[in-house]
Amino acid sequence: MIYDCGLILEGGGMRGLYTAGVLDFFQDKGIEFNVCYGVSAGAVNGLNYIAKQKRRMYRVNVNYLEDKNYAGIGNLITTGNFFGTEMCYHTIPEELDPYDYETFLKYEGEFYAVITDCETGQPQYIRLTDLKKQIEIIRASCSLPLMAEMVSIDGKKYLDGGLSDSIPVRKSVRDGHKKNLIILTRDIDYKKKPNELLPIIKMKYREFPNLIKSIERRHIEYNRTIEYIKNQEKKGNVYVIRPSKPITIGRLENDKSKLTMLYKQGYREAKKEYKTIMEFLACEN
């Protein structure tokens, strides 16, 4: 069933396996949404969910960890991208584990990926209607500073959407969605801290002062958004699925057993909350 509710997907690199588990449970239960906003790894999760390709996010994140063309310091040194651009955005989705572009095209709702404009430092919410033609939008949304090159689209440069809007619930509300379900990749007690690599970031991106300002303020805006979400939870306007305990793996985790456990945790915790999730989706705001 398709619900009139915004689906908000936080990023977090490999922590996104938690989200993948939640969304695969949703697929098993036939739960769909008429609009989705994805950030970085959250955007990739959303694409697989909309294409109804269960476990694809898990497979892609785990099966190619040992392939140097997929990810590694070697890629970063030689190309400026930790994750191999050709393999991640062409070889895998077009050959090794084909993405179901046709099912995505049939999606009756709206899907937005968040990217950060490097000139303004502001978020851009790009609606994806043809993934094959707009794959660079996804690459931009996932391009972490220092770990990836800026992505040029129509003459402008972009980086990871999480730098400017990590959890775009306010955007969904502005778009008129009174009810939102949010999947986070951090536990309820998490507080984001200032970026420890800020001195290096300031040096590398000195030609983009507005981008630097957004990165400097990211922890402040993130923590404010979390407080806003908690307030909206109390009012019954949002439902949040978040890890029950702190996730200890990092963005670039390569331990398959840990990633598998995280995926299973997401599925298990969504299953545990199934009744209350359905009560929230069924109620009228």
Side-chain angles (χ1 to χ4, degrees), residues 178-199:
K178 297 180 180 180
K179 185 190 303 184
N180 290 281
L181 187 146
I182 305 170
I183 303 177
L184 301 179
T185 56
R186 293 291 195 180
D187 65 283
I188 195 168
D189 296 320
Y190 175 76
K191 297 289 185 183
K192 187 172 284 296
K193 298 177 181 179
N195 195 315
E196 296 179 349
L197 299 177
L198 196 57

PDB file of all heavy atoms in Angstrom, residues 178-199:
ATOM      1  N   LYS A 178       2.455  16.626   5.827  1.00  0.00           N
ATOM      2  CA  LYS A 178       2.183  16.802   7.248  1.00  0.00           C
ATOM      3  C   LYS A 178       2.683  15.634   8.091  1.00  0.00           C
ATOM      4  O   LYS A 178       2.860  15.764   9.295  1.00  0.00           O
ATOM      5  CB  LYS A 178       0.680  16.987   7.457  1.00  0.00           C
ATOM      6  CG  LYS A 178       0.129  18.240   6.786  1.00  0.00           C
ATOM      7  CD  LYS A 178      -1.367  18.377   7.021  1.00  0.00           C
ATOM      8  CE  LYS A 178      -1.910  19.631   6.345  1.00  0.00           C
ATOM      9  NZ  LYS A 178      -3.384  19.775   6.562  1.00  0.00           N
ATOM     10  N   LYS A 179       2.892  14.508   7.456  1.00  0.00           N
ATOM     11  CA  LYS A 179       3.324  13.310   8.158  1.00  0.00           C
ATOM     12  C   LYS A 179       4.622  12.810   7.524  1.00  0.00           C
ATOM     13  O   LYS A 179       4.736  12.739   6.302  1.00  0.00           O
ATOM     14  CB  LYS A 179       2.238  12.241   8.070  1.00  0.00           C
ATOM     15  CG  LYS A 179       2.520  10.983   8.870  1.00  0.00           C
ATOM     16  CD  LYS A 179       1.523   9.882   8.550  1.00  0.00           C
ATOM     17  CE  LYS A 179       0.099  10.312   8.791  1.00  0.00           C
ATOM     18  NZ  LYS A 179      -0.833   9.173   8.555  1.00  0.00           N
ATOM     19  N   ASN A 180       5.617  12.466   8.360  1.00  0.00           N
ATOM     20  CA  ASN A 180       6.901  11.998   7.843  1.00  0.00           C
ATOM     21  C   ASN A 180       7.442  10.851   8.685  1.00  0.00           C
ATOM     22  O   ASN A 180       7.354  10.876   9.915  1.00  0.00           O
ATOM     23  CB  ASN A 180       7.928  13.141   7.841  1.00  0.00           C
ATOM     24  CG  ASN A 180       7.617  14.199   6.807  1.00  0.00           C
ATOM     25  OD1 ASN A 180       7.890  14.021   5.629  1.00  0.00           O
ATOM     26  ND2 ASN A 180       7.019  15.300   7.242  1.00  0.00           N
ATOM     27  N   LEU A 181       7.982   9.849   7.992  1.00  0.00           N
ATOM     28  CA  LEU A 181       8.677   8.753   8.653  1.00  0.00           C
ATOM     29  C   LEU A 181      10.160   8.914   8.350  1.00  0.00           C
ATOM     30  O   LEU A 181      10.545   9.027   7.182  1.00  0.00           O
ATOM     31  CB  LEU A 181       8.156   7.398   8.179  1.00  0.00           C
ATOM     32  CG  LEU A 181       8.706   6.183   8.945  1.00  0.00           C
ATOM     33  CD1 LEU A 181       7.652   5.093   9.034  1.00  0.00           C
ATOM     34  CD2 LEU A 181       9.973   5.627   8.288  1.00  0.00           C
ATOM     35  N   ILE A 182      10.966   8.932   9.404  1.00  0.00           N
ATOM     36  CA  ILE A 182      12.397   9.208   9.255  1.00  0.00           C
ATOM     37  C   ILE A 182      13.209   7.999   9.693  1.00  0.00           C
ATOM     38  O   ILE A 182      12.979   7.448  10.775  1.00  0.00           O
ATOM     39  CB  ILE A 182      12.805  10.423  10.109  1.00  0.00           C
ATOM     40  CG1 ILE A 182      11.927  11.643   9.766  1.00  0.00           C
ATOM     41  CG2 ILE A 182      14.277  10.754   9.919  1.00  0.00           C
ATOM     42  CD1 ILE A 182      12.100  12.803  10.728  1.00  0.00           C
ATOM     43  N   ILE A 183      14.153   7.599   8.870  1.00  0.00           N
ATOM     44  CA  ILE A 183      15.072   6.523   9.246  1.00  0.00           C
ATOM     45  C   ILE A 183      16.442   7.145   9.471  1.00  0.00           C
ATOM     46  O   ILE A 183      17.056   7.686   8.542  1.00  0.00           O
ATOM     47  CB  ILE A 183      15.154   5.426   8.172  1.00  0.00           C
ATOM     48  CG1 ILE A 183      13.757   4.857   7.882  1.00  0.00           C
ATOM     49  CG2 ILE A 183      16.082   4.310   8.645  1.00  0.00           C
ATOM     50  CD1 ILE A 183      13.737   3.815   6.777  1.00  0.00           C
ATOM     51  N   LEU A 184      16.911   7.084  10.706  1.00  0.00           N
ATOM     52  CA  LEU A 184      18.212   7.635  11.081  1.00  0.00           C
ATOM     53  C   LEU A 184      19.251   6.529  11.208  1.00  0.00           C
ATOM     54  O   LEU A 184      18.899   5.357  11.409  1.00  0.00           O
ATOM     55  CB  LEU A 184      18.107   8.391  12.412  1.00  0.00           C
ATOM     56  CG  LEU A 184      17.120   9.561  12.462  1.00  0.00           C
ATOM     57  CD1 LEU A 184      17.114  10.178  13.864  1.00  0.00           C
ATOM     58  CD2 LEU A 184      17.466  10.610  11.417  1.00  0.00           C
ATOM     59  N   THR A 185      20.508   6.917  11.115  1.00  0.00           N
ATOM     60  CA  THR A 185      21.582   5.944  11.283  1.00  0.00           C
ATOM     61  C   THR A 185      22.403   6.229  12.543  1.00  0.00           C
ATOM     62  O   THR A 185      23.515   5.732  12.694  1.00  0.00           O
ATOM     63  CB  THR A 185      22.507   5.929  10.049  1.00  0.00           C
ATOM     64  OG1 THR A 185      23.010   7.247   9.801  1.00  0.00           O
ATOM     65  CG2 THR A 185      21.740   5.456   8.820  1.00  0.00           C
ATOM     66  N   ARG A 186      21.822   7.046  13.430  1.00  0.00           N
ATOM     67  CA  ARG A 186      22.440   7.315  14.729  1.00  0.00           C
ATOM     68  C   ARG A 186      21.404   7.078  15.824  1.00  0.00           C
ATOM     69  O   ARG A 186      20.210   7.250  15.611  1.00  0.00           O
ATOM     70  CB  ARG A 186      22.923   8.768  14.809  1.00  0.00           C
ATOM     71  CG  ARG A 186      24.069   9.106  13.874  1.00  0.00           C
ATOM     72  CD  ARG A 186      25.345   8.409  14.303  1.00  0.00           C
ATOM     73  NE  ARG A 186      26.512   8.985  13.633  1.00  0.00           N
ATOM     74  CZ  ARG A 186      27.759   8.558  13.838  1.00  0.00           C
ATOM     75  NH1 ARG A 186      27.994   7.556  14.678  1.00  0.00           N
ATOM     76  NH2 ARG A 186      28.766   9.106  13.201  1.00  0.00           N
ATOM     77  N   ASP A 187      21.868   6.694  17.010  1.00  0.00           N
ATOM     78  CA  ASP A 187      20.967   6.419  18.121  1.00  0.00           C
ATOM     79  C   ASP A 187      20.432   7.714  18.724  1.00  0.00           C
ATOM     80  O   ASP A 187      20.887   8.814  18.374  1.00  0.00           O
ATOM     81  CB  ASP A 187      21.686   5.590  19.191  1.00  0.00           C
ATOM     82  CG  ASP A 187      22.822   6.381  19.827  1.00  0.00           C
ATOM     83  OD1 ASP A 187      23.892   6.511  19.187  1.00  0.00           O
ATOM     84  OD2 ASP A 187      22.638   6.886  20.948  1.00  0.00           O
ATOM     85  N   ILE A 188      19.488   7.597  19.647  1.00  0.00           N
ATOM     86  CA  ILE A 188      18.772   8.752  20.177  1.00  0.00           C
ATOM     87  C   ILE A 188      19.659   9.699  20.980  1.00  0.00           C
ATOM     88  O   ILE A 188      19.365  10.896  21.106  1.00  0.00           O
ATOM     89  CB  ILE A 188      17.575   8.281  21.039  1.00  0.00           C
ATOM     90  CG1 ILE A 188      16.609   9.444  21.292  1.00  0.00           C
ATOM     91  CG2 ILE A 188      18.060   7.639  22.344  1.00  0.00           C
ATOM     92  CD1 ILE A 188      15.290   9.023  21.880  1.00  0.00           C
ATOM     93  N   ASP A 189      20.754   9.223  21.533  1.00  0.00           N
ATOM     94  CA  ASP A 189      21.625  10.068  22.350  1.00  0.00           C
ATOM     95  C   ASP A 189      22.773  10.706  21.573  1.00  0.00           C
ATOM     96  O   ASP A 189      23.567  11.463  22.149  1.00  0.00           O
ATOM     97  CB  ASP A 189      22.207   9.249  23.513  1.00  0.00           C
ATOM     98  CG  ASP A 189      21.132   8.775  24.477  1.00  0.00           C
ATOM     99  OD1 ASP A 189      20.212   9.568  24.757  1.00  0.00           O
ATOM    100  OD2 ASP A 189      21.201   7.619  24.922  1.00  0.00           O
ATOM    101  N   TYR A 190      22.845  10.437  20.285  1.00  0.00           N
ATOM    102  CA  TYR A 190      23.980  10.935  19.499  1.00  0.00           C
ATOM    103  C   TYR A 190      23.952  12.451  19.341  1.00  0.00           C
ATOM    104  O   TYR A 190      22.914  13.042  19.045  1.00  0.00           O
ATOM    105  CB  TYR A 190      23.989  10.285  18.110  1.00  0.00           C
ATOM    106  CG  TYR A 190      25.052  10.833  17.189  1.00  0.00           C
ATOM    107  CD1 TYR A 190      26.379  10.463  17.348  1.00  0.00           C
ATOM    108  CD2 TYR A 190      24.724  11.743  16.173  1.00  0.00           C
ATOM    109  CE1 TYR A 190      27.362  10.973  16.509  1.00  0.00           C
ATOM    110  CE2 TYR A 190      25.693  12.247  15.338  1.00  0.00           C
ATOM    111  CZ  TYR A 190      27.015  11.867  15.507  1.00  0.00           C
ATOM    112  OH  TYR A 190      27.987  12.377  14.679  1.00  0.00           O
ATOM    113  N   LYS A 191      25.102  13.086  19.536  1.00  0.00           N
ATOM    114  CA  LYS A 191      25.281  14.511  19.303  1.00  0.00           C
ATOM    115  C   LYS A 191      26.460  14.698  18.355  1.00  0.00           C
ATOM    116  O   LYS A 191      27.560  14.222  18.631  1.00  0.00           O
ATOM    117  CB  LYS A 191      25.570  15.254  20.612  1.00  0.00           C
ATOM    118  CG  LYS A 191      24.446  15.192  21.649  1.00  0.00           C
ATOM    119  CD  LYS A 191      23.266  16.035  21.217  1.00  0.00           C
ATOM    120  CE  LYS A 191      22.207  16.054  22.313  1.00  0.00           C
ATOM    121  NZ  LYS A 191      21.005  16.813  21.900  1.00  0.00           N
ATOM    122  N   LYS A 192      26.212  15.366  17.249  1.00  0.00           N
ATOM    123  CA  LYS A 192      27.298  15.572  16.287  1.00  0.00           C
ATOM    124  C   LYS A 192      28.264  16.624  16.812  1.00  0.00           C
ATOM    125  O   LYS A 192      27.858  17.641  17.380  1.00  0.00           O
ATOM    126  CB  LYS A 192      26.748  15.991  14.921  1.00  0.00           C
ATOM    127  CG  LYS A 192      27.823  16.045  13.835  1.00  0.00           C
ATOM    128  CD  LYS A 192      27.229  16.280  12.463  1.00  0.00           C
ATOM    129  CE  LYS A 192      26.572  15.047  11.906  1.00  0.00           C
ATOM    130  NZ  LYS A 192      27.554  13.946  11.665  1.00  0.00           N
ATOM    131  N   LYS A 193      29.552  16.371  16.609  1.00  0.00           N
ATOM    132  CA  LYS A 193      30.601  17.273  17.065  1.00  0.00           C
ATOM    133  C   LYS A 193      31.213  18.012  15.873  1.00  0.00           C
ATOM    134  O   LYS A 193      31.041  17.602  14.725  1.00  0.00           O
ATOM    135  CB  LYS A 193      31.688  16.472  17.799  1.00  0.00           C
ATOM    136  CG  LYS A 193      31.181  15.761  19.048  1.00  0.00           C
ATOM    137  CD  LYS A 193      32.285  14.936  19.684  1.00  0.00           C
ATOM    138  CE  LYS A 193      31.766  14.199  20.916  1.00  0.00           C
ATOM    139  NZ  LYS A 193      32.834  13.368  21.542  1.00  0.00           N
ATOM    140  N   PRO A 194      31.942  19.104  16.133  1.00  0.00           N
ATOM    141  CA  PRO A 194      32.603  19.823  15.038  1.00  0.00           C
ATOM    142  C   PRO A 194      33.539  18.903  14.265  1.00  0.00           C
ATOM    143  O   PRO A 194      34.111  17.959  14.824  1.00  0.00           O
ATOM    144  CB  PRO A 194      33.381  20.926  15.763  1.00  0.00           C
ATOM    145  CG  PRO A 194      32.626  21.128  17.045  1.00  0.00           C
ATOM    146  CD  PRO A 194      32.137  19.759  17.439  1.00  0.00           C
ATOM    147  N   ASN A 195      33.678  19.165  12.985  1.00  0.00           N
ATOM    148  CA  ASN A 195      34.534  18.354  12.125  1.00  0.00           C
ATOM    149  C   ASN A 195      36.002  18.518  12.517  1.00  0.00           C
ATOM    150  O   ASN A 195      36.547  19.631  12.476  1.00  0.00           O
ATOM    151  CB  ASN A 195      34.319  18.773  10.657  1.00  0.00           C
ATOM    152  CG  ASN A 195      34.879  17.760   9.681  1.00  0.00           C
ATOM    153  OD1 ASN A 195      35.990  17.271   9.849  1.00  0.00           O
ATOM    154  ND2 ASN A 195      34.110  17.447   8.657  1.00  0.00           N
ATOM    155  N   GLU A 196      36.634  17.428  12.877  1.00  0.00           N
ATOM    156  CA  GLU A 196      38.028  17.471  13.312  1.00  0.00           C
ATOM    157  C   GLU A 196      38.985  17.775  12.169  1.00  0.00           C
ATOM    158  O   GLU A 196      40.129  18.183  12.401  1.00  0.00           O
ATOM    159  CB  GLU A 196      38.415  16.138  13.967  1.00  0.00           C
ATOM    160  CG  GLU A 196      37.642  15.836  15.249  1.00  0.00           C
ATOM    161  CD  GLU A 196      38.036  14.507  15.861  1.00  0.00           C
ATOM    162  OE1 GLU A 196      38.748  13.739  15.181  1.00  0.00           O
ATOM    163  OE2 GLU A 196      37.636  14.236  17.011  1.00  0.00           O
ATOM    164  N   LEU A 197      38.532  17.570  10.946  1.00  0.00           N
ATOM    165  CA  LEU A 197      39.389  17.807   9.780  1.00  0.00           C
ATOM    166  C   LEU A 197      39.180  19.194   9.174  1.00  0.00           C
ATOM    167  O   LEU A 197      39.614  19.453   8.061  1.00  0.00           O
ATOM    168  CB  LEU A 197      39.124  16.738   8.715  1.00  0.00           C
ATOM    169  CG  LEU A 197      39.400  15.296   9.141  1.00  0.00           C
ATOM    170  CD1 LEU A 197      39.020  14.338   8.021  1.00  0.00           C
ATOM    171  CD2 LEU A 197      40.865  15.107   9.512  1.00  0.00           C
ATOM    172  N   LEU A 198      38.544  20.076   9.928  1.00  0.00           N
ATOM    173  CA  LEU A 198      38.222  21.395   9.403  1.00  0.00           C
ATOM    174  C   LEU A 198      39.449  22.171   8.903  1.00  0.00           C
ATOM    175  O   LEU A 198      39.362  22.830   7.852  1.00  0.00           O
ATOM    176  CB  LEU A 198      37.474  22.205  10.457  1.00  0.00           C
ATOM    177  CG  LEU A 198      36.738  23.443   9.947  1.00  0.00           C
ATOM    178  CD1 LEU A 198      35.736  23.087   8.853  1.00  0.00           C
ATOM    179  CD2 LEU A 198      36.028  24.139  11.102  1.00  0.00           C
ATOM    180  N   PRO A 199      40.596  22.130   9.582  1.00  0.00           N
ATOM    181  CA  PRO A 199      41.773  22.852   9.063  1.00  0.00           C
ATOM    182  C   PRO A 199      42.172  22.393   7.655  1.00  0.00           C
ATOM    183  O   PRO A 199      42.512  23.216   6.798  1.00  0.00           O
ATOM    184  CB  PRO A 199      42.865  22.526  10.089  1.00  0.00           C
ATOM    185  CG  PRO A 199      42.111  22.288  11.361  1.00  0.00           C
ATOM    186  CD  PRO A 199      40.864  21.558  10.924  1.00  0.00           C
TER     187      PRO A 199
END
